[in-house]
Amino acid sequence: MSVFLAALQHGDTILGMNLAHGGHLTHGHPMNFSGINFKVADYGVSPDTEQIDYDELQKKAEESRPQLIICGASAYPRTIDFARIGEIARSVGAQVMADIAHIAGLVAAGLHPSPVPHCEFVTTTTHKTLRGPRGGLILCREEFAKAIDKAVFPGVQGGPLVHIIAAKAVAFGEALRDEFKVYQQQILDNAQALADELTAGGLRIVSGGTDNHLMLVDVFANGQGITGKAAEKALDAVHITVNKNTIPFDQNSPFVASGIRLGTPALTTRGMKEDEMRAIGKMISAVIHEPESEAVQERVRREVRELTARFPLYSRRMPENSAGASQ
């Protein structure tokens, strides 16, 4: 909101990623302030690869001539080509805002390309992969600094939350440590192991896999499986928390959805590694294939209790094999 206030005029055009293809509400959804206050064009993924179609993005940019292109995502499991998006923006005279809320920790650790050289603005939450408090952060080119500061206060905020500022400082301090990169690499390794196990269990991973910390699982599979809503409910009953999520070109409404979204940062913080991801993948597959089976539910509940008892929430914040990790 602060970036929009600093960079745009009411009614300007923005080009953002379609929510149904992995974008975020704030990227121009008609029910969100971004879709109410601005003209919106959107781009998405290819039906063949389920990955961002950069040629289509170029075409949409040329057609809509946006003042701002928004990149980054809320449910997109592949590497984002920020350099290509920057080139597209420059070709139509647009500025770029990268929303890296989900991948900020990976970017900080050098495990995902950085948007900073290619974008005028970079926004992120400070939780998710960055593993700090619930809060936000805006980076921008120096020429926009005063406008951003003014947009934040008095533009959209009142008093600062000083305890959150302190918590952010702690999180940024952790991100500077060598152990943080080890942690982020383990997030990626865990995501690969989980995706592989789910695939082996007969479930379809949207786009065929993952390059980052998350994955979308198509549990509906052209009507042969269950809905995302049903999968979310069945897994919640065995103490596995996921969220229903639309998948590209979804046959179901967003309130039902065909997919679920999974991520590995929290479990990695608890110290879990590939073996645990494979065990969790087997649990998830079993429940999705037999969501009404009481026997399966009871077995998985027991397995979840046993696994979480081995990796309690308070045990550690860095992987076991990281140098100096004692918390």
Side-chain angles (χ1 to χ4, degrees), residues 5-33:
L5 188 61
L8 301 171
Q9 298 295 318
H10 186 88
D12 278 354
T13 298
I14 60 176
L15 174 60
M17 190 171 187
N18 190 312
L19 176 67
H21 289 206
H24 191 262
L25 282 168
T26 53
H27 298 179
H29 190 275
M31 296 296 288
N32 183 261
F33 84 94

Short mmCIF file of all heavy atoms in Angstrom, two decimals, residues 5-33:
data_model
loop_
_atom_site.label_atom_id
_atom_site.label_comp_id
_atom_site.label_asym_id
_atom_site.label_seq_id
_atom_site.Cartn_x
_atom_site.Cartn_y
_atom_site.Cartn_z
N LEU A 5 1.07 4.15 -2.87
CA LEU A 5 0.84 5.55 -2.54
C LEU A 5 2.00 6.43 -2.98
O LEU A 5 1.81 7.57 -3.43
CB LEU A 5 0.61 5.68 -1.03
CG LEU A 5 0.16 7.06 -0.50
CD1 LEU A 5 -1.18 7.45 -1.12
CD2 LEU A 5 0.05 7.03 1.02
N ALA A 6 3.21 5.89 -2.90
CA ALA A 6 4.39 6.66 -3.27
C ALA A 6 4.61 6.72 -4.78
O ALA A 6 5.11 7.72 -5.31
CB ALA A 6 5.63 6.07 -2.59
N ALA A 7 4.26 5.64 -5.47
CA ALA A 7 4.64 5.51 -6.88
C ALA A 7 3.52 5.76 -7.87
O ALA A 7 3.80 5.97 -9.07
CB ALA A 7 5.21 4.10 -7.12
N LEU A 8 2.27 5.75 -7.44
CA LEU A 8 1.14 5.78 -8.36
C LEU A 8 0.17 6.91 -8.04
O LEU A 8 0.14 7.42 -6.91
CB LEU A 8 0.39 4.45 -8.32
CG LEU A 8 1.17 3.18 -8.69
CD1 LEU A 8 0.34 1.95 -8.40
CD2 LEU A 8 1.59 3.21 -10.15
N GLN A 9 -0.63 7.23 -9.02
CA GLN A 9 -1.78 8.09 -8.83
C GLN A 9 -3.04 7.23 -8.88
O GLN A 9 -3.07 6.19 -9.55
CB GLN A 9 -1.84 9.16 -9.94
CG GLN A 9 -0.65 10.09 -9.96
CD GLN A 9 -0.56 10.97 -8.72
OE1 GLN A 9 -1.55 11.48 -8.23
NE2 GLN A 9 0.66 11.12 -8.21
N HIS A 10 -4.07 7.65 -8.18
CA HIS A 10 -5.34 6.92 -8.19
C HIS A 10 -5.78 6.71 -9.64
O HIS A 10 -5.83 7.65 -10.43
CB HIS A 10 -6.40 7.72 -7.43
CG HIS A 10 -7.69 6.98 -7.27
ND1 HIS A 10 -7.94 6.13 -6.20
CD2 HIS A 10 -8.80 6.93 -8.04
CE1 HIS A 10 -9.14 5.62 -6.32
NE2 HIS A 10 -9.69 6.09 -7.44
N GLY A 11 -6.09 5.47 -9.98
CA GLY A 11 -6.55 5.16 -11.33
C GLY A 11 -5.46 4.74 -12.29
O GLY A 11 -5.75 4.37 -13.44
N ASP A 12 -4.19 4.80 -11.88
CA ASP A 12 -3.10 4.30 -12.72
C ASP A 12 -3.27 2.80 -12.96
O ASP A 12 -4.01 2.10 -12.26
CB ASP A 12 -1.74 4.56 -12.06
CG ASP A 12 -1.24 5.99 -12.29
OD1 ASP A 12 -1.89 6.72 -13.05
OD2 ASP A 12 -0.21 6.35 -11.69
N THR A 13 -2.54 2.31 -13.94
CA THR A 13 -2.63 0.89 -14.30
C THR A 13 -1.50 0.10 -13.65
O THR A 13 -0.33 0.52 -13.71
CB THR A 13 -2.58 0.71 -15.82
OG1 THR A 13 -3.69 1.38 -16.41
CG2 THR A 13 -2.64 -0.78 -16.20
N ILE A 14 -1.86 -1.03 -13.06
CA ILE A 14 -0.87 -1.96 -12.54
C ILE A 14 -1.02 -3.30 -13.27
O ILE A 14 -2.11 -3.65 -13.71
CB ILE A 14 -1.00 -2.17 -11.01
CG1 ILE A 14 -2.39 -2.74 -10.64
CG2 ILE A 14 -0.76 -0.86 -10.27
CD1 ILE A 14 -2.54 -3.07 -9.17
N LEU A 15 0.07 -4.01 -13.40
CA LEU A 15 0.08 -5.34 -14.01
C LEU A 15 0.62 -6.32 -12.98
O LEU A 15 1.79 -6.24 -12.61
CB LEU A 15 0.96 -5.34 -15.27
CG LEU A 15 1.19 -6.69 -15.97
CD1 LEU A 15 -0.13 -7.30 -16.44
CD2 LEU A 15 2.14 -6.52 -17.17
N GLY A 16 -0.24 -7.19 -12.49
CA GLY A 16 0.15 -8.12 -11.43
C GLY A 16 -0.17 -9.56 -11.77
O GLY A 16 -0.94 -9.84 -12.69
N MET A 17 0.40 -10.46 -11.01
CA MET A 17 0.17 -11.89 -11.23
C MET A 17 -1.22 -12.27 -10.76
O MET A 17 -1.65 -11.92 -9.66
CB MET A 17 1.23 -12.72 -10.50
CG MET A 17 1.21 -14.18 -10.88
SD MET A 17 2.63 -15.07 -10.19
CE MET A 17 2.40 -16.67 -10.98
N ASN A 18 -1.92 -13.01 -11.59
CA ASN A 18 -3.27 -13.47 -11.28
C ASN A 18 -3.27 -14.29 -9.99
O ASN A 18 -2.45 -15.19 -9.82
CB ASN A 18 -3.78 -14.33 -12.45
CG ASN A 18 -5.24 -14.66 -12.37
OD1 ASN A 18 -5.73 -15.10 -11.32
ND2 ASN A 18 -5.95 -14.48 -13.46
N LEU A 19 -4.19 -13.96 -9.08
CA LEU A 19 -4.28 -14.68 -7.81
C LEU A 19 -4.45 -16.18 -8.02
O LEU A 19 -3.85 -16.99 -7.32
CB LEU A 19 -5.44 -14.13 -6.98
CG LEU A 19 -5.74 -14.84 -5.65
CD1 LEU A 19 -4.60 -14.62 -4.66
CD2 LEU A 19 -7.05 -14.32 -5.04
N ALA A 20 -5.25 -16.55 -9.01
CA ALA A 20 -5.52 -17.97 -9.26
C ALA A 20 -4.29 -18.70 -9.79
O ALA A 20 -4.25 -19.93 -9.78
CB ALA A 20 -6.68 -18.12 -10.25
N HIS A 21 -3.29 -17.96 -10.24
CA HIS A 21 -2.09 -18.57 -10.78
C HIS A 21 -0.92 -18.49 -9.80
O HIS A 21 0.21 -18.84 -10.15
CB HIS A 21 -1.70 -17.92 -12.11
CG HIS A 21 -2.63 -18.27 -13.23
ND1 HIS A 21 -2.25 -18.27 -14.56
CD2 HIS A 21 -3.93 -18.64 -13.23
CE1 HIS A 21 -3.26 -18.62 -15.32
NE2 HIS A 21 -4.31 -18.84 -14.53
N GLY A 22 -1.17 -17.96 -8.59
CA GLY A 22 -0.12 -17.92 -7.59
C GLY A 22 0.20 -16.55 -7.05
O GLY A 22 1.06 -16.41 -6.18
N GLY A 23 -0.48 -15.50 -7.57
CA GLY A 23 -0.23 -14.15 -7.09
C GLY A 23 -0.83 -13.91 -5.72
O GLY A 23 -1.13 -14.85 -4.98
N HIS A 24 -1.02 -12.64 -5.37
CA HIS A 24 -1.54 -12.29 -4.06
C HIS A 24 -2.68 -11.31 -4.22
O HIS A 24 -2.78 -10.59 -5.22
CB HIS A 24 -0.43 -11.68 -3.19
CG HIS A 24 -0.79 -11.54 -1.75
ND1 HIS A 24 -1.24 -10.34 -1.22
CD2 HIS A 24 -0.80 -12.44 -0.73
CE1 HIS A 24 -1.49 -10.51 0.07
NE2 HIS A 24 -1.23 -11.77 0.40
N LEU A 25 -3.55 -11.25 -3.23
CA LEU A 25 -4.68 -10.33 -3.26
C LEU A 25 -4.25 -8.90 -3.57
O LEU A 25 -4.92 -8.17 -4.31
CB LEU A 25 -5.42 -10.34 -1.91
CG LEU A 25 -6.36 -11.52 -1.61
CD1 LEU A 25 -6.74 -11.50 -0.14
CD2 LEU A 25 -7.60 -11.43 -2.48
N THR A 26 -3.12 -8.49 -3.02
CA THR A 26 -2.67 -7.11 -3.15
C THR A 26 -2.02 -6.82 -4.50
O THR A 26 -1.52 -5.71 -4.72
CB THR A 26 -1.66 -6.77 -2.03
OG1 THR A 26 -0.61 -7.75 -2.04
CG2 THR A 26 -2.34 -6.77 -0.68
N HIS A 27 -2.03 -7.79 -5.40
CA HIS A 27 -1.45 -7.60 -6.73
C HIS A 27 -2.51 -7.20 -7.75
O HIS A 27 -2.25 -7.27 -8.96
CB HIS A 27 -0.73 -8.86 -7.19
CG HIS A 27 0.42 -9.23 -6.31
ND1 HIS A 27 1.20 -10.36 -6.53
CD2 HIS A 27 0.94 -8.63 -5.20
CE1 HIS A 27 2.14 -10.44 -5.59
NE2 HIS A 27 2.00 -9.41 -4.78
N GLY A 28 -3.71 -6.82 -7.26
CA GLY A 28 -4.73 -6.32 -8.18
C GLY A 28 -6.05 -7.05 -8.16
O GLY A 28 -6.88 -6.87 -9.06
N HIS A 29 -6.29 -7.87 -7.12
CA HIS A 29 -7.57 -8.58 -7.06
C HIS A 29 -8.71 -7.58 -6.90
O HIS A 29 -8.59 -6.61 -6.12
CB HIS A 29 -7.56 -9.56 -5.89
CG HIS A 29 -8.73 -10.50 -5.90
ND1 HIS A 29 -9.95 -10.17 -5.35
CD2 HIS A 29 -8.87 -11.75 -6.41
CE1 HIS A 29 -10.79 -11.18 -5.51
NE2 HIS A 29 -10.16 -12.15 -6.16
N PRO A 30 -9.83 -7.78 -7.60
CA PRO A 30 -10.91 -6.78 -7.58
C PRO A 30 -11.55 -6.55 -6.22
O PRO A 30 -12.17 -5.51 -6.01
CB PRO A 30 -11.94 -7.35 -8.57
CG PRO A 30 -11.60 -8.80 -8.72
CD PRO A 30 -10.12 -8.89 -8.54
N MET A 31 -11.39 -7.47 -5.27
CA MET A 31 -11.96 -7.29 -3.94
C MET A 31 -10.99 -6.58 -2.99
O MET A 31 -11.34 -6.24 -1.87
CB MET A 31 -12.36 -8.64 -3.34
CG MET A 31 -13.47 -9.34 -4.09
SD MET A 31 -15.02 -8.41 -4.05
CE MET A 31 -15.48 -8.66 -2.34
N ASN A 32 -9.75 -6.36 -3.46
CA ASN A 32 -8.71 -5.75 -2.64
C ASN A 32 -8.54 -4.29 -3.01
O ASN A 32 -8.88 -3.87 -4.12
CB ASN A 32 -7.40 -6.52 -2.85
CG ASN A 32 -6.26 -6.02 -2.00
OD1 ASN A 32 -5.42 -5.26 -2.48
ND2 ASN A 32 -6.22 -6.44 -0.75
N PHE A 33 -7.98 -3.47 -2.11
CA PHE A 33 -7.77 -2.05 -2.41
C PHE A 33 -7.01 -1.86 -3.71
O PHE A 33 -7.21 -0.89 -4.45
CB PHE A 33 -7.02 -1.37 -1.25
CG PHE A 33 -5.52 -1.51 -1.32
CD1 PHE A 33 -4.74 -0.54 -1.93
CD2 PHE A 33 -4.90 -2.64 -0.81
CE1 PHE A 33 -3.36 -0.68 -2.02
CE2 PHE A 33 -3.52 -2.79 -0.90
CZ PHE A 33 -2.74 -1.80 -1.50
#
